[in-house]
Amino acid sequence: PIATHRPRQPSVFYGVCDEGKKWKSRLHYAGKQHHLDSCRTKQQAAAGYDEAARQRRKDLPCNYTSVEEAALAAAVVVAS
């Protein structure tokens, strides 16, 4: 079955929401919502979500087209 996808969060990234001054990534699998990571940037959190989604929920959309693109986006923001 095809999963019904919710609209993107205000962060503009799937699976990423703000948590005070940090960004939290989370993913629903195995019947539970899993907190993946708290990051300084939403790009880092989005990269973490993508990694988990590619491993555990291949039916969900990712924020970046590849692992390399996600790593580059997270690194560019940190370097800025």
Side-chain angles (χ1 to χ4, degrees):
I2 298 174
T4 304
H5 303 294
R6 293 184 191 166
R8 290 185 185 214
Q9 299 288 327
S11 69
V12 305
F13 291 107
Y14 293 111
V16 175
C17 62
D18 65 331
E19 184 179 63
K21 294 182 179 183
K22 293 198 172 207
W23 294 91
K24 178 171 64 173
S25 58
R26 58 188 176 181
L27 180 67
H28 189 271
Y29 63 90
K32 295 181 181 179
Q33 182 84 327
H34 294 268
H35 171 82
L36 303 171
D37 203 2
S38 289
C39 302
R40 290 184 335 175
T41 69
K42 58 186 172 182
Q43 292 82 357
Q44 290 172 322
Y49 164 87
D50 283 7
E51 181 180 347
R54 284 187 175 97
Q55 291 175 0
R56 300 188 182 275
R57 292 286 309 271
K58 295 180 181 10
D59 60 319
L60 293 179
C62 288
N63 297 295
Y64 299 104
T65 57
S66 69
V67 174
E68 293 80 16
E69 181 186 6
L72 179 63
V76 166
V77 172
V78 171
S80 300

